[in-house]
């Protein structure tokens, strides 16, 4: 397994796993804080405003639904992509765990798209000058990505945010290993843009999971 970029991504995880126990309680509190609708924060002074005015205030100034999502995505490499990917699937108050699941589903969708591309290219070796050996390595890596994301759906269903974060980082390691197989073979990767998008979508999930883990 290549250790260049992957090791940079894994280093903070190795360090954090040493102190995970200490942070277990604060991270749960963080999740609760984030899931509170922002509109709950500024309560008008009851003595100076009557009930009708209070109701009117709430109606006139609805909190933007994207505010909590922007906070959740703020550590991502591509915060805008992170928000744009997830926002269409959030109805009502933001549940950060739902947000992660949407991000993971988006990553899975891109994984399936690349897997299909790899299958097509492998099935028609005469159609391109693509490195067949690199394609085979990538087919294995993408199969591992599918397994990893499925496992992560299960661990997040069990509310193990920290375990999901640690294990989800493998997605980027597999994605890098696929790119490296082409780099080492010296031929261009035929799904360069999708590979990059997968990297960014996976990175978004990691950033949110890190945030929810309290780091
Ligand atoms: C993933 O793909 C399915 C099927 O095309 C689609 O219904 C779903 O909305 C996609 N999920 C995300 C998060 O983009
Ligand atoms: C993380 O992956 C390891 C190895 O596959 C597995 O044993 C462990 O149960 C996973 N952890 C979680 C929280 O899913």
């Amino acid at each position: 397994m290549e250790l260049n970029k992957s090791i940079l991504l894994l280093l903070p995880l190795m360090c954090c796993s040493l102190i995970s126990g200490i942070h277990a309680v604060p991270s749960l509190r963080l999740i609760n804080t984030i899931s509170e609708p922002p509109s709950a924060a500024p309560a008008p002074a009851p003595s100076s405003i009557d009930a009708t005015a209070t109701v009117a205030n709430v109606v006139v100034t609805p909190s933007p639904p994207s505010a909590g999502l922007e906070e959740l995505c703020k550590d991502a490499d591509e915060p805008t992509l992170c928000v744009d990917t997830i926002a269409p699937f959030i109805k009502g108050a933001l549940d950060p765990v739902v947000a992660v699941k949407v991000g993971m589903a988006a990553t899975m969708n891109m994984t399936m798209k690349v897997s299909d591309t790899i299958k097509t290219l492998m099935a028609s070796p005469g159609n391109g000058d693509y490195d067949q050996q690199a394609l085979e390595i990538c087919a294995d890596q993408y199969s591992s990505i599918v397994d990893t994301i499925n496992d992560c759906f299960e661990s997040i269903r069990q509310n193990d945010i920290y375990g999901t974060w640690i294990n989800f980082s493998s997605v980027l390691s597999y994605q890098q290993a696929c790119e490296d197989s082409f780099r080492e073979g010296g031929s261009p990767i035929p799904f360069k843009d999708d590979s990059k998008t997968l990297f960014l979508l996976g990175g978004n999930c990691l950033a949110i999971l890190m945030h929810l883990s309290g780091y």
Side-chain angles (χ1 to χ4, degrees):
M1 190 76 44
E2 281 66 28
L3 288 177
N4 43 28
K5 286 183 187 166
S6 317
I7 197 74
L8 292 177
L9 293 161
L10 293 174
L11 269 176
L13 305 186
M14 294 178 198
C15 99
C16 296
S17 65
L18 298 174
I19 51 171
S20 64
I22 301 168
H23 282 75
V25 173
S27 50
L28 276 179
R29 226 187 294 130
L30 180 67
I31 292 166
N32 289 336
T33 309
I34 290 168
S35 53
E36 273 168 21
S39 58
S47 56
S48 58
I49 301 171
D50 67 25
T52 316
T54 304
V55 170
N57 278 347
V58 172
V59 172
V60 171
T61 59
S63 57
S66 62
L69 194 53
E70 278 164 18
E71 170 69 14
L72 210 53
C73 286
K74 74 175 166 45
D75 297 323
D77 284 346
E78 297 277 347
T80 308
L81 174 70
C82 181
V83 170
D84 290 351
T85 303
I86 297 171
F89 295 89
I90 302 296
K91 308 278 177 251
L94 178 67
D95 178 340
V97 173
V98 171
V100 181
K101 285 182 182 168
V102 172
M104 285 166 55
T107 310
M108 181 65 108
N109 281 359
M110 185 51 75
T111 302
M112 300 314 290
K113 186 183 175 203
V114 175
S115 293
D116 285 349
T117 303
I118 293 170
K119 275 192 200 106
T120 304
L121 291 171
M122 286 177 76
S124 51
N127 286 354
D129 294 332
Y130 299 117
D131 181 338
Q132 289 294 316
Q133 198 186 344
L135 282 173
E136 276 167 34
I137 292 171
C138 286
D140 281 350
Q141 302 304 312
Y142 274 78
S143 160
S144 297
I145 293 176
V146 171
D147 291 346
T148 300
I149 298 176
N150 279 331
D151 288 350
C152 283
F153 271 122
E154 180 57 28
S155 57
I156 206 161
R157 201 183 61 77
Q158 293 169 6
N159 276 318
D160 185 353
I161 302 283
Y162 181 77
T164 306
W165 175 34
I166 297 300
N167 281 11
F168 196 89
S169 65
S170 307
V171 168
L172 299 194
S173 306
Y174 294 130
Q175 180 269 353
Q176 290 292 301
C178 168
E179 288 208 344
D180 287 347
S181 71
F182 277 97
R183 202 170 293 124
E184 283 157 17
S187 68
I189 181 165
F191 39 86
K192 188 170 182 282
D193 291 347
D194 284 349
S195 178
K196 172 91 189 293
T197 304
L198 177 70
F199 180 83
L200 294 173
L201 291 172
N204 289 342
C205 296
L206 281 181
I208 297 176
L209 288 164
M210 179 182 81
H211 193 70
L212 295 180
S213 296
Y215 297 101

